[in-house]
Amino acid sequence: MLINTNSVAFRDMGVEIFREQVIFNNSVKLKITESILDIISKERNGEKIDRMLLKNILRMLTDLAIYNDLFETKFLKESQQFYHMEGEKNIQEMSIAGYLCYIDRRMNEENERLASYLDHSTSKRLIHIVERELIQLHMETIFKTNFDKLFSESDHELLKLAYNLLTRVPEGTNKLCSQFNSFIKNQGKQIVISTEEKDKTMVQELLDFKDKVDEIAIKCFGRNEKFINSLKEAFEYFINQRTNKPAELIAKFVDIKLRSGNKETTEEEFEKLLDKVMVIFRFIHGKDIFEAFYKKDLAKRLLVGKSASVDAEKSMLLKLKQECGSGFTSKLEGMFKDMELSRELMPTFKQFLLNTNPSATVDMSVSILTTGYWPTYHPVEIIMPSELLQYEVDFNRFYTSKHGGRKLQWQRNLGNFVLKATFNSVSDFPCCIVLLI
């Protein structure tokens, strides 16, 4: 390819003459700068402009190597003044939602200008101006302008927008995280430090609140580890503001669920519920208090046969073991072992009873409880029918014949029975049935 060096030289000479004699004419130079800035100002105020014309003019300035001196410096200064005034005005007049949307709109507009007609070299400095004037200088006011309402109403779209905007400026992420942490602590304390009447729903409220803030951290804050850790710290803080009570109520909540089972949910949903309870349990400091109440309730479920599912019981036991270690669950596991051994023992006892007392008519089952595994029960004297006392004597003979040296202490107050009756005729008479539970 042949290049005519004369034509290149003439072109360069023409450009130089045009720049010196036309563009650098003080009157022309001033009008060009003012006209371009005026057009951009009109666009920022909502008027339609000829972007292609503006693009060609700015490209000409770039080709003439005067884009920075003639335009960019003054443009950035005017942009800073424009957004400073806009920020001061709108942060006072707009709601938090309105102001966040306003910032987002202005950011998009400036990015469109950069894509349409501004030189790419302007990008970093222009966007920095918008970020500083609209976000960084007004962060304190942003968080004071009813910002927590976005959390309480779970406004995911606005929270996600706030995260995307605030993380663009120095300390924005830290301040948003701190606001999130304070919101969780304040709301959580209102749940935990409640009236005795509200204690009935405390655990469910905690589970619902945890779901709510988890969703915010995941959907709005992109699983940012800083926010996840802050969430955990906040939960651990507020849940221990009321000593021991949350531990007690969590144990009772689990007791209710394990009694009723998964009648209204699938096994998978029931497992997820237990997992969520374990997350709340993880935050409490009084785990020994939980253990005491859980042990007492588990004993009742096992002895009275009120547990809805053995599989669910053992699943919960496994979760506690994984969370707290085998030392925490050794006695609870011992309780299950006692019940299993007792069930295995009863057929042998009934055969023994059949051989020694063929006239026996009472179907009696006995649970052998190992001292140390079970809660401490104080014996209660109960007047027993002679027939039942005879069964106790028979069982004592049977058990000591197999386990010499062991001593049985009967806990009659833990027993229960089923009373059956047949009435030949129907008549009105008072009837009182006493159940020993």
Side-chain angles (χ1 to χ4, degrees), residues 11 132 159 173 253 266 279 307 325 328 345 433:
R11 178 184 177 281
R132 183 177 184 277
L159 284 171
T173 302
F253 180 85
T266 64
V279 172
S307 182
F328 187 85
L345 186 65
I433 299 176

Side-chain angles (χ1 to χ4, degrees), residues 378-397:
H378 299 289
V380 176
E381 289 299 321
I382 296 175
I383 299 174
M384 301 286 287
S386 57
E387 293 86 354
L388 291 181
L389 289 174
Q390 182 58 48
Y391 278 90
E392 288 185 6
V393 172
D394 291 337
F395 187 83
N396 274 322
R397 283 194 298 116

Side-chain angles (χ1 to χ4, degrees), residues 330-436:
S330 59
K331 293 181 180 180
L332 303 177
E333 291 173 315
M335 293 164 68
F336 279 97
K337 186 176 180 181
D338 280 351
M339 296 304 293
E340 290 172 5
L341 291 175
S342 298
R343 280 192 293 271
E344 293 172 1
L345 186 65
M346 290 319 297
T348 309
F349 167 63
K350 289 180 179 179
Q351 185 60 49
F352 169 85
L353 200 60
L354 188 62
N355 295 336
T356 58
N357 187 5
S359 61
T361 57
V362 177
D363 184 11
M364 185 174 78
S365 295
V366 180
S367 297
I368 309 297
L369 313 183
T370 303
T371 303
Y373 289 165
W374 298 76
T376 302
Y377 298 111
H378 299 289
V380 176
E381 289 299 321
I382 296 175
I383 299 174
M384 301 286 287
S386 57
E387 293 86 354
L388 291 181
L389 289 174
Q390 182 58 48
Y391 278 90
E392 288 185 6
V393 172
D394 291 337
F395 187 83
N396 274 322
R397 283 194 298 116
F398 162 76
Y399 190 77
T400 53
S401 69
K402 288 184 170 294
H403 304 281
R406 294 187 184 180
K407 183 182 178 181
L408 293 177
Q409 183 182 47
W410 290 86
Q411 298 282 358
R412 298 187 179 98
N413 54 307
L414 300 179
N416 64 89
F417 68 88
V418 176
L419 180 65
K420 296 180 180 179
T422 302
F423 300 98
N424 294 325
S425 60
V426 179
S427 59
D428 294 331
F429 61 89
C431 179
C432 179
I433 299 176
V434 180
L435 296 180
L436 305 180

